[in-house]
Amino acid sequence: MKTIFPILLLTAACCGRALAQNYDTNNLVVQTFAGSGFYGYFDGKGTQTMFNRPSSVVADSSGNLFVGDTANYRVRKITPDGTVSTFAGGGSLSRGYGTNVSLCCVSPLFIDHSDVLWLPDDGVRIGTDGYVSSTTNLSRWLCFDSGNNVYYSSGNQIYRWRTNGVLELFAGSGNSGALDGNWIFTSFTGPEQLAADAADNIYVWDTGNRLIRRINQNRDVVTIAGNPSYYGDADGAGRGASFLSILAMWPDDSGNILLACGSSIRKMTAATNVLTMAGSFSQQGYTNGTGATALFFGAYGVCLSKGSIYVADSNNERIRSVTFNPQPEPVSGASLVLNTYPGLQITGVVGRTYRIESSKDLKAWLIETTLLLTSSPYLWLDQTALGQRKFYRAFLLP
């Protein structure tokens, strides 16, 4: 049976035309996962942390996130429980382990299928043990197929660097253009962001043409989404969609490609339908909530980890999460303390003020509080009385 999810259609005026924004309404909720909103450098947990222009985010196979913290010149690590630490950068060495090394350009940041981080602008790789080593100079836009071969865009061409060290031209003639076809008998104009799906199809954001192109392993190049004649964002099917910019791409396990587009997070389905998951085409800002009400300000990076989408929301200095129908999380017993407090239930006059007094011997009375009765009966608890024996009385004040 085919499941059909509802789509919410909104329009936003831009450049004198109406932009269709079709929201995926499958109970998507945007929340803040890490970052306080203050720029700075502070490790910690969740919102009790600071970043300075976090511009890339990737996920490893264990659910850890790695963030290219651009203006701090560091790679930060976020565990699944939201604990933020510094993984690399901040040192003085050119190569070595983790925080002993000085990094310059930590974004864009990429991760391969062995959980190795690649920083092409710095010309380094970072292993799972935190060791920073040099790598071959590549273009700044990378992706990895299932065999861990590296694909990168350079000039108007796409290259493949095989794991055996062989470098080969994968597609593109080098001429500027938007011609589909096979291998070198094709053209691109300034291709940048790349993504590889589970079938090893390579997706290319062809910046100069504002098109998404797909290259299969036979090296057939096909344009699958985008409208170069229209300058702006619009959701729609295939060539009926348009893009102002795409800053990062990430594949999911269902053949969809997630797109970070500055003020919105969009998705291109396996059928090349483009829709918005969260954010707005016409507004920037910081708002958590449903996909249609959430706002981003510099959604430069996106990844998927353990069923949740994570966004490097650079100008908001935060890592945001986009979750599908989030459920309440149980609090562990170690985080709970059971206390029993004494108190009074007052049946009285709503809107009048009462004074509550206590005594340990029924002789000396102390004022505990005065309160305005907002309901009747009203329950008041004495949270200072643990381990004590007290008596209580109440007075209706004039």
Side-chain angles (χ1 to χ4, degrees), residues 281-336:
F281 293 164
S282 60
Q283 297 183 68
Q284 298 183 111
Y286 171 68
T287 303
N288 287 325
T290 63
T293 60
L295 293 177
F296 300 94
F297 189 14
Y300 293 161
V302 66
C303 71
L304 180 71
S305 179
K306 306 300 182 183
S308 294
I309 297 168
Y310 294 92
V311 180
D313 192 3
S314 185
N315 294 327
N316 280 320
E317 312 293 355
R318 294 173 169 98
I319 304 301
R320 315 277 292 280
S321 67
V322 184
T323 52
F324 301 83
N325 191 23
Q327 300 298 315
E329 297 183 14
V331 178
S332 67
S335 300
L336 299 175

Side-chain angles (χ1 to χ4, degrees), residues 247-397:
L247 302 166
M249 302 197 296
W250 188 277
D252 69 12
D253 296 329
S254 301
N256 304 306
I257 304 296
L258 305 177
L259 311 169
C261 298
S263 62
S264 65
I265 300 299
R266 302 168 74 183
K267 176 175 74 175
M268 182 180 66
T269 69
T272 72
N273 293 319
V274 178
L275 51 91
T276 301
M277 305 195 78
S280 170
F281 293 164
S282 60
Q283 297 183 68
Q284 298 183 111
Y286 171 68
T287 303
N288 287 325
T290 63
T293 60
L295 293 177
F296 300 94
F297 189 14
Y300 293 161
V302 66
C303 71
L304 180 71
S305 179
K306 306 300 182 183
S308 294
I309 297 168
Y310 294 92
V311 180
D313 192 3
S314 185
N315 294 327
N316 280 320
E317 312 293 355
R318 294 173 169 98
I319 304 301
R320 315 277 292 280
S321 67
V322 184
T323 52
F324 301 83
N325 191 23
Q327 300 298 315
E329 297 183 14
V331 178
S332 67
S335 300
L336 299 175
V337 176
L338 179 62
N339 287 322
T340 303
Y341 299 105
L344 295 179
Q345 179 174 292
I346 304 172
T347 300
V349 181
V350 175
R352 295 290 298 276
T353 301
Y354 289 75
R355 184 176 70 224
I356 297 175
E357 300 179 354
S358 70
S359 173
K360 295 181 180 180
D361 57 8
L362 292 176
K363 295 179 181 179
W365 292 87
L366 300 174
I367 297 174
E368 291 283 350
T369 187
T370 58
L371 56 87
L372 182 69
L373 219 64
T374 57
S375 63
S376 181
Y378 182 95
L379 180 62
W380 171 82
L381 297 178
D382 184 357
Q383 298 186 34
T384 68
L386 284 177
Q388 302 181 51
R389 180 182 177 185
K390 286 186 177 182
F391 303 92
Y392 298 90
R393 66 186 183 184
F395 293 88
L396 172 63
L397 300 183

Side-chain angles (χ1 to χ4, degrees), residues 224-255:
I224 56 175
N227 179 1
S229 65
Y230 179 56
Y231 188 77
D233 289 312
D235 290 333
R239 300 297 297 272
S242 64
F243 308 93
L244 185 60
S245 66
I246 297 175
L247 302 166
M249 302 197 296
W250 188 277
D252 69 12
D253 296 329
S254 301

